[in-house]
Amino acid sequence: MGRKFFVGGNFKMNGTIKSVKEIVHNLSTAKLDSNTEVVVAPPSLYLLLTREHLSPNIEVAAQNVFDKPNGAFTGEISVAQLKDSNITWTLLGHSERRTILREDDDLVACKTKAALGGGIGVILCCGESLEEREKGVTTDVVTKQLKAVNDSIGKEGWSNVVIAYEPIWAIGTGKVATTEQAQEVHAAIRKWLSEAVSSDVAENTRIIYGGSVSEKNCRDLATQPDVDGFLVGGASLKPAFVDIINSNI
Ligand code: G3P
């Protein structure tokens, strides 16, 4: 069985009760490719609202989760609380959290382990800065981020992980990676998985692309053999998100 195409919508810190309800209504009534797995990640304040109004065939993700089970951790949300709220996925390691909120590889690895241990799927983000790309160290940067997680979750953990390759220079810039650039890094990640983890994990793990994906560029990217879907930011707030979900038909 091949890898099921996967499209995530990361709303980031956008939306209101009204606009989130509109997006959710739009998605729930649209005709979506049944061969594509769809997950949306609203701000934490709107997780329950989204789950309540969204069609059951679409899953909901948190944008982050903490690695401790409960207690005095002001401002954080636990894996058990997500589970209790029927939130089945979480993003982790997004570059905005790595850079602006200063999350390092170890913390991302601990959070990934905690999420998987509690039965929550992880959309694990990785990606290089423009400076790193220009220095020619993209693969090193990305595999270092993934290695930290692998050291923590081991081979079995990967079955509930989707890797999102998001070059930082392409996020929110309108400067999408070319199909060749995306395919090259996705293939390098798959090669790394096969060497560092196992050939089964390499074969079965979805590697999705994020960074200025739009209804205009998604079809070309989707033709690439190692591009198994998308993590969409800005465009996931718009009706065009439906076209991106359906880009693999
Ligand atoms: O997680 C999605 C992301 O960072 C890409 O954002 O707005 O460039 O699609 P955007």
Side-chain angles (χ1 to χ4, degrees), residues 5 10 16 21 37-38 57-58 66-67 91 97 130 149 153 160 165 169-171 174 180 185 224 230 241-242 248:
F5 206 70
N10 175 9
T16 59
K21 272 189 181 166
E37 191 169 350
V38 184
N57 58 331
I58 303 174
F66 201 49
D67 63 331
L91 305 184
R97 295 212 62 88
L130 183 59
V149 170
I153 68 171
N160 218 6
Y165 167 59
W169 47 270
I171 296 176
E180 293 75 19
V185 181
Q224 298 304 300
F230 302 113
F241 187 44
V242 170
N248 196 41

Side-chain angles (χ1 to χ4, degrees), residues 207-229:
I207 306 174
I208 63 176
Y209 168 80
S212 296
V213 174
S214 72
E215 71 282 14
K216 298 198 179 72
N217 57 37
C218 58
R219 284 185 180 274
D220 279 349
L221 286 160
T223 61
Q224 298 304 300
D226 289 298
V227 174
D228 303 316

Side-chain angles (χ1 to χ4, degrees), residues 10 12 94 96 166 170-172 211-213 231-234:
N10 175 9
K12 308 196 178 186
H94 193 282
E96 286 145 19
E166 299 207 322
I171 296 176
S212 296
V213 174
L231 184 56
V232 184

Side-chain angles (χ1 to χ4, degrees), residues 47-119:
L47 283 168
L48 284 170
L49 174 88
T50 301
R51 186 56 287 165
E52 191 189 335
H53 290 88
L54 193 62
S55 152
N57 58 331
I58 303 174
E59 296 293 319
V60 181
Q63 294 178 12
N64 186 32
V65 73
F66 201 49
D67 63 331
K68 303 293 183 292
N70 53 45
F73 302 105
T74 302
E76 297 298 329
I77 292 176
S78 74
V79 172
Q81 287 169 331
L82 293 183
K83 196 86 182 159
D84 184 43
S85 306
N86 205 11
I87 307 304
T88 49
W89 287 88
T90 185
L91 305 184
L92 283 173
H94 193 282
S95 64
E96 286 145 19
R97 295 212 62 88
R98 290 179 189 266
T99 56
I100 306 167
L101 283 307
R102 301 191 204 137
E103 293 195 8
D104 61 14
D105 286 349
D106 284 347
L107 182 56
V108 174
C110 286
K111 288 180 168 191
T112 303
K113 188 175 183 185
L116 296 174

